[in-house]
Amino acid sequence: MSADRFRKWLMFAYAATLLAFIILPLLIVVPMSLTSSNSLAFPTPGWSLRWYAELWVDERWPNALWNSVVIGLSTTVLALLLGIPAAIGLAWGDFAGKRILYAIIAAPLVTPVVIVGVAAFSFFATLGLVGSKLSIILVHTAMAVPVMLTTVVASLSTFDRTLVRAAASLGAGAMRTFFKVVLPLIGPGVVTGAIIAFIISFDEVVVASFLSTGAERTLPRMIFSGVRESISPAIAAVAVLLIAFSAILLGVIAILQSRSQALRAKASA
């Protein structure tokens, strides 16, 4: 066996081992969600779909899902509206302090979430907004904008700006150029950022624990409360559904990245 082939097999074995280390603990949740017992147990004493049905019987779970979806979509829209113009300004702008401004915007990425939660609670408590969706949406937006900014800046870094000048020479205005030229080419990066922003908001539990009340509980907050108060197999059923949902979104991101590479190759051809 040649040295190159041995290295490829070694890297494949390493990647497979690492993937198994990450995924196998998640897969244990699947049989636990199908248990016929009233408590979490592995191996399961029997098989049943009762806990998946329980998710729709107990109205707290659909309400928590609805809250998470509303907050996640609202966060995604705000992250798009704020992140795309900021990314264009930082990627194409030439002004003093650009690096400092980028570092300030990216600060939520490196700030511990617990600190963000405590600060958000103190701030919104003075405004009387603790327990409202608006407070959670605003904090989640602050956490999602840096991710949106990063993905869009990455797309703009390979964008051929001569296309913008060509559109302007043909009489296209700034808005028409953006929607007809720029956005289609950076679209996969924008959608990828939007999906990641939604995942960040949908899965976030720390800030939601500080700012949500019983009526406004999100799905992760509901899971956390269930684990702390009463460990029910319904929690495992929710976890399985969330894992499947996240896997689908990650698959969409992979498809979008492939499409983005194809678009860039076609545009440069």
Side-chain angles (χ1 to χ4, degrees):
M1 180 182 294
S2 64
D4 289 340
R5 190 173 182 182
F6 175 76
R7 282 195 295 268
K8 289 180 180 180
W9 277 106
L10 187 63
M11 290 301 298
F12 176 80
Y14 172 76
T17 303
L18 183 62
L19 191 63
F21 178 78
I22 296 173
I23 292 180
L24 287 179
L26 299 178
L27 296 180
I28 295 177
V29 181
V30 177
M32 294 176 68
S33 70
L34 297 171
T35 183
S36 59
S37 174
N38 291 326
S39 60
L40 290 172
F42 186 81
T44 58
W47 305 100
S48 175
L49 292 172
R50 58 178 290 200
W51 298 111
Y52 287 92
E54 178 70 18
L55 299 180
W56 307 109
V57 174
D58 188 347
E59 63 179 13
R60 293 177 301 172
W61 291 108
N63 290 340
L65 175 61
W66 173 252
N67 290 335
S68 291
V69 170
V70 170
I71 293 172
L73 291 177
S74 301
T75 297
T76 303
V77 171
L78 289 177
L80 285 168
L81 295 176
L82 297 174
I84 294 176
I88 293 175
L90 289 172
W92 292 350
D94 186 12
F95 54 90
K98 185 167 71 172
R99 293 180 180 274
I100 298 176
L101 180 60
Y102 187 85
I104 293 173
I105 297 175
L109 292 177
V110 296
T111 304
V113 184
V114 174
I115 295 177
V116 174
V118 173
F121 177 81
S122 300
F123 176 75
F124 287 109
T126 59
L127 300 178
L129 292 177
V130 172
S132 68
K133 289 187 180 71
L134 178 61
S135 60
I136 304 175
I137 291 170
L138 293 177
V139 180
H140 283 184
T141 300
M143 298 169 64
V145 164
V147 178
M148 176 66 67
L149 183 70
T150 302
T151 58
V152 178
V153 166
S155 297
L156 290 170
S157 64
T158 57
F159 185 86
D160 186 1
R161 296 185 63 182
T162 58
L163 298 174
V164 176
R165 291 191 288 270
S169 67
L170 294 173
M175 295 300 295
R176 186 176 180 84
T177 300
F178 173 76
F179 285 105
K180 295 294 185 179
V181 179
V182 178
L183 188 59
L185 292 177
I186 67 171
V190 172
V191 177
T192 298
I195 292 175
I196 297 175
F198 179 82
I199 293 175
I200 289 173
S201 176
F202 193 83
D203 291 343
E204 201 282 323
V205 64
V206 177
V207 172
S209 297
F210 279 100
L211 298 179
S212 65
T213 58
E216 302 298 334
R217 280 186 177 181
T218 61
L219 196 58
R221 167 71 191 279
M222 186 74 179
I223 295 173
F224 181 77
S225 298
V227 171
R228 185 177 58 184
E229 297 168 2
S230 60
I231 302 179
S232 167
I235 297 172
V238 176
V240 171
L241 296 177
L242 289 179
I243 291 171
F245 179 65
S246 299
I248 293 172
L249 291 181
L250 291 175
V252 173
I253 291 175
I255 294 172
L256 290 172
Q257 288 176 341
S258 299
R259 177 175 172 79
S260 178
Q261 293 176 355
L263 286 174
R264 286 197 296 266
K266 184 177 179 180
S268 60

